[in-house]
Amino acid sequence: MDLDVARIDKAVQVIDPVFLNTPQYLDEQLCRALGDRAVTVKVETANPVRSFKGRGADLMLSTLARGTPVVCASSGNFGQAVAYAGRTRGMPVEVFVPETVNPVKRERMEAFGARVVAAGADGSSAREAAAARAEHHPGCVYLQDGLQAAIAEGAGTIGVELTRGAPGGADGPDFDAVVLPVGDGALINGVGRWMKEHAPGTRIVGVNAEGAPSMLESLRAGRAVRIERARTFADGIAVRSPPEASVRRARALVDEITLVTDDAIAAAMEVAARTLGIVLEPAGAAGLAAIAEGSVPGDRLATVLTGANPRPEQAWEPLRAGRQRSRR
């Protein structure tokens, strides 16, 4: 296993503190809405990139020399994180995105100083363009979310906080399962690596969108599988093929992958807005959706609210649903 528990532990001393010690708590209204189950939420949205991706991106860039040009592909959140960390650490960043990229995410990447290039119809095309860019520019470092160990290890600091409690440092609760949205796999592999060492009785459950089951299919096949098309509005987990290294790690660390429909994700977004006051993007609500659907057994669960960069029309939808309910 190339993910190192000691490096995850040390990462909390390296990663920009703005991304660390995020809130984690039980909300009584949310727990009732989820069938009276004890569900701890870890909120990874109250930071400059509005997602958990800053942890892995910042740790990865900390391994590079100042001034190193960096290129990556992203549907938005990873690109934001790399752009933010690059600006902080003095590295020029270029991000290749799908032509259909969320305009909110594109604007935020550019606001952090990245050069953003639209390349192709989906994430696979953007990755090919980013890799080609790095190959033809010596000295340029290509980052792929889910590939480099440091990206997953940075995300693994979420597991540190779940087991130790955040921010006080005392032992955290024992969870029956930790439920995590899965795209390229950095989050579930990093958290899974830590939990398997420090909370081995906790099941690690991943969530794919029903229309983008690439990690589920990959684990079934024992290798990275490329699905024909990602059919989901959850662009943060709309991955057609996870990196081979990510699949290899997940085979050792992930207990189960479950699927959720876009309708279930939309319902979870509405529940989060109503009970927590947080407007999530679809991928950020996938873990809640799986719990709400009853597909994850256990009395004490935890999930990570991974992102809050919805498209403009998605941001308003939970509010519309709430207004409609109040009129009835």
Side-chain angles (χ1 to χ4, degrees), residues 98-255:
E99 294 167 353
T100 56
V101 67
N102 179 343
V104 173
K105 294 180 179 180
R106 176 167 188 157
E107 289 170 9
R108 292 178 62 79
M109 284 185 275
E110 291 173 335
F112 294 140
R115 178 175 181 261
V116 180
V117 181
D122 59 21
S124 295
S125 300
R127 278 196 297 274
E128 290 169 4
R133 173 73 169 172
E135 183 179 355
H136 291 94
H137 289 77
C140 184
V141 174
Y142 170 57
L143 303 183
Q144 182 178 348
D145 195 7
L147 177 61
Q148 285 89 356
I151 297 172
E153 289 166 348
T157 58
I158 291 172
V160 177
E161 294 169 16
L162 282 170
T163 55
R164 295 181 179 174
D171 288 343
D174 293 325
F175 299 112
D176 296 319
V178 174
V179 187
L180 301 164
V182 178
D184 286 300
L187 174 64
I188 198 165
N189 286 328
V191 172
R193 182 70 180 94
W194 181 266
M195 300 298 288
K196 291 300 181 185
E197 186 78 17
H198 293 276
T202 298
R203 288 176 57 79
I204 305 301
V205 179
V207 184
N208 274 169
E210 186 176 75
S214 58
M215 184 60 84
L216 175 63
E217 296 298 331
S218 295
L219 292 182
R220 285 175 175 170
R223 57 178 175 77
V225 169
R226 184 183 182 91
I227 61 174
E228 181 180 351
R229 182 182 174 190
R231 296 178 174 87
T232 177
F233 77 144
D235 56 21
I237 54 174
V239 173
R240 291 177 61 193
S241 180
E244 188 67 54
S246 184
V247 174
R248 184 181 67 250
R249 295 164 187 150
R251 291 180 66 190
L253 299 169
V254 177
D255 294 295

